[in-house]
Amino acid sequence: RTGGRMRFVSFTVQAIGRAGRRTFLLAPLLLAAEGAEVPTSAAEIPPPVRAALDAVSEERILAHAARLGSDAMEGRGTGSPGEDSAAAYIAGELRRIGLRPMGDDGSFFQRVPMRGSVPLSESRLEAVCADTSALFTLGEDYLLYTLGEETLIPQPVPLVFAGYGIVAPEFDYSDYQEMDVEGRVVVFLEGEPPSDDPAYFGGAAPTIHSLPEIKQRAALARGALGSVMVPSTRAPEAATWEKRARNFAFEHVTLLTDIPRNMNLVLREEAARLLFRGVPYSLDEVLEMDRSGTIRSFPLRSRIRFQGAHRERGILASNVAGLLEGSDPLLGKSCLLLSAHYDHLGIGPAVDGDSIYNGIVDNALGCAGLLEIAEVLARGPVPTLRPILFLFTTGEEKGLLGARHYCSRPAVPLHRTIANINIQGLAILDVFDDVIGIGSEYSTLGGHLDAVAAELGLSVSRTSSVHLAREAFARSDQLAFAQAGIPALLITDGVRYRGYSEREGLRRFIEWEKERYHTPFDDMSQPMSGEAIVQHCRVVLAAAGALANTFTPPQWNEGSEYARARLRSIAEGR
């Protein structure tokens, strides 16, 4: 850079392999218009963005949240009329703010075809052991993770107990060592090996390997016909069966393009005892192995079959997307993606007479914050250099469905999307002195957040056990964007509050999760700090504004499991 002018050299990388010479264009995200005043630091908050922080309105945020989380929206269940109403409200606000529609056919809506399924009581699960057999009752004895006509095991098939059902090469651990499960159903325990070492399965914090979906994929990849999860009794706060049944009471929804699923279920402890008859270790002994860290895998002598009965329907849900234009003609070829899911659970089992799961913190507040960021940036006197795509996703509660669909049909090519900041709720407890970057260890977004937080007088804390470490990254839409190669980050309030000790703050966080998360009581009547809500929104705005104006796009850190997807999207021009 000389005399306020920048000179750039476009370059290519040529790779020679069996398919011959291939040329990959890697330069387009690194260009800026000649003479443009671009912040030289990836962390610098531009003056217009800093000025916009003061324009964030608590009143507007709470008004959006109250509208999206009202009883009239009926909990915004995926594919419901209430969710359609929420999508229409968000689209109307994006239109009022002046964003460019980025959905289908010049609209704000990106249509997402889905399929919904509800299990019926006629479903039959039978276990056979020697001369003993038992029919299990849906809801009372077992709950289904996967549904549909393809979820079928017509004849009894053998069972194999595979410990926790985990394959984790980074910890030199596999429950499938010398265990053939092809053509069988895998039985595994909930959770993962107990550990006090943060370098081994996250210590006290669960890792992504503890997720049932990851275990189900591991079994399927090894040729299993299905899986049965047995609840763990190790954790003192282990979920009751009644709470599990309430969580499973909602409609099961998948993308229409998803491949058929095999049978996956969770079996109540009392029912699971039959599966361990006639083998060296009873279920009680297995649960003791779980507590002592001595779990082992072994074949079972029982067999199982399943005949499902379901009520199914087609669903056409919508992502809602709008673009805030940038000011630089070359940086305008890329964009920053800001996201929040607007769906929730809908109407479900009544708790104390209330059956509407309003989902204020999860995630009406996140959507309200995203709308407020769009408004204050659109009102600002100086646009950001890069465009910002504001994406409100459907189906997050059903498995990141809207985000996954968007990544398969992006409004802006994946390789031209420099980063994603996802919003999953806003702070409601108290004004805070630190933030946590979920996923910050995977990319240079971690350093970006460090510097932005410092400019705001905040520190950045490491993920605590209650924030679930690596597992938390897999819990919301940022995972789908990362798997598509986009560096992604979720910014949460930390653990140091102005009005509470760290211990008291963590206690209140855990209490909220236990008493309000995914219940009808996550509504506007709960205590919420307006100051904390505005502060959290400002942190996300500052980080986004700095990214949208930075010259150097974020990169995946060396060794990140998501880096290869980024290279693939560049090579394919996706």
Side-chain angles (χ1 to χ4, degrees):
R1 176 172 183 164
T2 57
R5 299 167 66 84
M6 292 185 177
R7 299 179 64 191
F8 302 91
V9 178
S10 177
F11 62 91
T12 61
V13 173
Q14 291 182 326
I16 300 177
R18 291 183 180 179
R21 188 181 302 271
R22 293 166 291 169
T23 301
F24 303 148
L25 181 63
L26 301 181
L29 294 183
L30 303 179
L31 298 177
E34 193 169 299
E37 292 296 326
V38 182
T40 57
S41 166
E44 184 179 340
I45 303 174
V49 175
R50 184 173 286 278
L53 301 182
D54 295 330
V56 172
S57 165
E58 175 185 340
E59 182 180 1
R60 283 195 300 264
I61 294 173
L62 291 179
H64 289 316
R67 181 70 177 273
L68 291 169
S70 68
D71 283 356
M73 298 290 187
E74 298 181 331
R76 310 184 304 283
T78 302
S80 70
E83 192 198 39
D84 291 342
S85 296
Y89 174 77
I90 292 169
E93 289 301 296
L94 297 183
R95 184 178 298 106
R96 178 186 62 80
I97 291 168
L99 270 58
R100 172 152 64 98
M102 295 297 286
D104 301 334
D105 302 321
S107 74
F108 286 101
F109 304 107
Q110 181 189 47
R111 302 302 183 184
V112 185
M114 300 179 180
R115 179 177 62 176
S117 185
V118 176
L120 302 177
S121 58
E122 300 93 284
S123 297
R124 291 174 58 88
L125 177 67
E126 182 180 10
V128 180
C129 183
D131 296 330
T132 304
S133 66
L135 279 175
F136 299 128
T137 302
L138 178 67
E140 294 181 14
D141 300 314
Y142 70 98
L143 302 165
L144 288 165
Y145 276 101
T146 49
L147 304 173
E149 292 181 359
E150 70 278 1
T151 307
L152 173 68
I153 300 179
Q155 298 299 325
V157 298
L159 297 171
V160 174
F161 178 67
Y164 300 102
I166 289 174
V167 178
E170 68 272 34
F171 302 127
D172 191 25
Y173 182 94
S174 175
D175 285 308
Y176 290 92
Q177 191 74 22
E178 299 180 359
M179 181 68 67
D180 181 15
V181 301
E182 186 171 359
R184 294 166 168 79
V185 169
V186 172
V187 180
F188 55 73
L189 277 184
E190 181 180 30
E192 57 191 359
S195 171
D196 295 323
D197 181 2
Y200 185 71
F201 282 99
T207 71
I208 194 172
H209 296 293
S210 68
L211 296 178
E213 296 86 350
I214 300 300
K215 300 182 181 192
Q216 293 160 9
R217 292 175 192 170
L220 178 63
R222 284 156 182 79
L225 298 179
S227 73
V228 174
M229 186 178 79
V230 179
S232 170
T233 58
R234 186 190 340 142
E237 67 280 4
T240 64
W241 186 258
E242 290 70 25
K243 185 174 181 179
R244 291 180 194 273
R246 188 177 71 206
N247 291 337
F248 278 78
F250 299 91
E251 182 182 33
H252 182 74
V253 181
T254 61
L255 292 175
L256 197 60
T257 54
D258 279 350
I259 60 173
R261 299 288 191 93
N262 59 346
M263 183 204 73
N264 296 288
L265 57 88
V266 54
L267 188 62
R268 197 169 190 164
E269 180 185 336
E270 292 80 357
R273 294 185 182 280
L274 176 65
L275 307 187
F276 290 84
R277 287 186 181 178
V279 293
Y281 306 102
S282 67
L283 179 57
D284 286 333
E285 290 172 310
V286 167
L287 294 175
E288 179 56 37
M289 292 180 196
D290 177 35
R291 289 186 284 270
S292 62
T294 57
I295 205 74
R296 65 195 67 187
S297 302
F298 52 89
L300 299 171
R301 294 187 178 179
S302 50
R303 294 172 295 156
I304 201 169
R305 64 180 169 188
F306 177 72
Q307 176 75 52
H310 313 91
R311 183 178 69 249
E312 297 191 285
R313 68 179 180 120
I315 297 171
L316 192 61
S318 300
N319 291 328
V320 187
L323 188 76
L324 181 64
E325 302 285 0
S327 61
D328 189 279
L330 291 177
L331 286 179
K333 296 179 180 179
S334 63
C335 83
L336 170 68
L337 173 61
L338 301 185
S339 61
H341 76 90
Y342 72 95
D343 66 301
H344 194 56
L345 301 180
I347 297 176
V351 182
D352 293 342
D354 190 352
S355 60
I356 298 178
Y357 291 63
N358 303 85
I360 289 295
V361 176
D362 181 20
N363 188 32
L365 266 180
C367 293
L370 193 55
L371 286 172
E372 180 65 7
I373 290 171
E375 178 141 351
V376 297
L377 287 178
R379 283 183 174 187
V382 180
T384 55
L385 296 177
R386 278 190 180 85
I388 300 178
L389 180 65
F390 291 83
L391 179 66
F392 299 80
T393 60
T394 180
E396 189 266 2
E397 299 287 359
K398 303 300 184 182
L400 321 184
L401 303 185
R404 287 171 47 211
H405 180 83
Y406 175 85
C407 290
S408 68
R409 296 165 178 80
V412 176
L414 299 176
H415 72 283
R416 294 187 182 275
T417 305
I418 67 164
N420 164 248
I421 297 180
N422 188 42
I423 305 178
Q424 176 70 10
L426 295 175
I428 62 167
L429 181 58
D430 189 23
V431 175
F432 48 89
D433 289 319
D434 66 329
V435 295
I436 292 174
I438 305 295
S440 60
E441 67 272 28
Y442 299 127
S443 73
T444 57
L445 285 172
H448 174 85
L449 178 61
D450 289 343
V452 167
E455 284 197 53
L456 297 176
L458 302 170
S459 60
V460 178
S461 296
R462 296 191 62 181
T463 310
S464 69
S465 60
V466 297
H467 290 87
L468 303 182
R470 288 185 67 193
E471 190 216 17
F473 192 70
R475 286 294 187 181
S476 192
D477 285 335
Q478 64 273 354
L479 176 67
F481 299 122
Q483 290 175 330
I486 302 170
L489 186 68
L490 173 67
I491 302 172
T492 74
D493 49 324
V495 294
R496 295 197 292 275
Y497 297 100
R498 303 277 175 87
Y500 304 104
S501 67
E502 182 173 330
R503 182 173 182 176
E504 177 65 9
L506 289 175
R507 186 190 71 78
R508 288 175 177 265
F509 180 91
I510 294 171
E511 186 178 78
W512 184 90
E513 287 231 329
K514 181 179 179 181
E515 297 180 359
R516 295 188 183 272
Y517 176 68
H518 280 193
T519 75
F521 310 124
D522 180 14
D523 58 17
M524 289 298 291
S525 70
Q526 65 188 304
M528 294 188 289
S529 166
E531 284 186 88
I533 289 170
V534 168
Q535 183 189 19
H536 194 164
C537 190
R538 286 172 175 165
V539 172
V540 177
L541 170 58
L547 277 172
N549 284 278
T550 187
F551 172 60
T552 307
Q555 304 293 326
W556 290 112
N557 290 334
E558 184 177 357
S560 169
E561 60 196 276
Y562 308 110
R564 189 168 296 178
R566 186 61 155 185
L567 294 175
R568 185 166 58 248
S569 70
I570 293 171
E572 296 174 353
R574 292 186 60 239

